């Protein structure tokens, strides 16, 4: 029963309750009809018979409402579980896509990374600034 779907269990329990309630309604109707049969006058018999009929109709209406409510609850649960399964699958697909994208970025970063032992621009000594002709002339004139 641990692996059974809850919507099937809801329907099964509602069916059992409906059968029980229907049996009780019929029993109650029979009791009211029996009381009417024991009545001494015709109005008492008619009143008991009418009461039995109304009680039976109301009881059956209650069982129908119970069954409808259980069906609605079972359907709602089944819909919610389907949606949850779809959402979980979508989340898993998104996580897999993000993981593969991260792996691609990692591979691309590995290709652009320098090889061990290779000199980088930071390892080279700083170059002397180039002197322009104007600076050389200014230095010569200042020295004269």
């Amino acid at each position: 029963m641990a692996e059974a779907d809850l919507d099937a269990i809801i329907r099964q329990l509602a069916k059992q309750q409906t059968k029980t309630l229907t049996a009780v309604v019929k029993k109650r109707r029979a009791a009211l009809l029996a009381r009417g049969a024991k009545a001494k006058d015709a109005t008492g018999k008619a009143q008991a018979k009418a009461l039995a009929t109304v009680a039976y109709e109301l009881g059956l209406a209650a069982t129908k409402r119970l069954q409808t409510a259980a069906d609605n609850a079972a359907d709602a649960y089944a819909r919610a579980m389907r949606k949850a399964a779809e959402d979980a699958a979508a989340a898993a697909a998104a996580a897999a896509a993000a993981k593969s994208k991260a792996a691609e970025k990692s591979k691309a970063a590995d290709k652009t990374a320098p090889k061990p032992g290779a000199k980088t621009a930071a390892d080279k000594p700083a170059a002397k600034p180039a002197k322009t002709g104007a600076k050389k002339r200014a230095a010569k004139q200042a020295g004269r």
Side-chain angles (χ1 to χ4, degrees), residues 2 11 22 29 32 34-35 51 56-57 72 76 79-80 96 101 104 116 123-126 133 135 141:
R11 291 177 201 279
T22 303
R29 183 184 71 169
L32 290 172
R35 187 185 310 166
L51 184 60
Y56 183 71
E57 289 173 358
N72 289 343
R79 265 192 317 274
K101 193 172 186 180
E104 288 176 12
D123 295 338
K124 293 181 182 178
K135 286 186 180 180
Q141 286 179 357

Side-chain angles (χ1 to χ4, degrees), residues 80-98:
M81 288 306 295
R82 278 194 303 272
K83 184 172 180 348
E86 290 171 2
D87 290 348

Side-chain angles (χ1 to χ4, degrees), residues 94-132:
K99 189 175 181 180
S100 67
K101 193 172 186 180
E104 288 176 12
K105 278 187 176 181
S106 173
K107 286 181 183 178
D110 288 345
K111 288 181 181 178
T112 60
K115 295 179 181 160
K119 289 188 178 181
T120 62
D123 295 338
K124 293 181 182 178
K128 293 181 183 177
K131 290 188 178 181
T132 62

